[in-house]
Amino acid sequence: GAPTAPPELLVQAAGGVAKPGVYSLVPGARVADLVEAAGGLSDDADGDRVNLAAPVADGQRIWLPRRGEDQPPDVI
């Protein structure tokens, strides 16, 4: 049969990104792909505390910290 498109991953980018939100990524995507989809790190993001090479999983929320921020806010 005809090849089918790979399933998508829905991953939330929160915190220090230009456009926080939920993004559709391809399987095997990394945090760097999510950051790119979210318009890059914000000016106040603490990029040294982000592992851009980490894989992402479907349904995951990735918090990208801002400078001076100790803990991410609670998720409701």
Side-chain angles (χ1 to χ4, degrees), residues 6-63:
E8 66 182 0
L9 304 177
L10 292 178
V11 184
Q12 180 181 358
V17 290
K19 298 181 283 186
V22 175
Y23 292 91
S24 176
L25 303 172
V26 297
R30 304 289 175 150
V31 172
D33 300 314
L34 178 62
V35 169
E36 182 179 336
L41 293 173
S42 62
D43 291 339
D44 62 348
D46 190 350
D48 290 336
R49 293 175 47 203
V50 177
N51 180 359
L52 295 173
V56 298
D58 186 53
Q60 190 174 16
R61 176 181 180 255
I62 304 292
W63 180 263

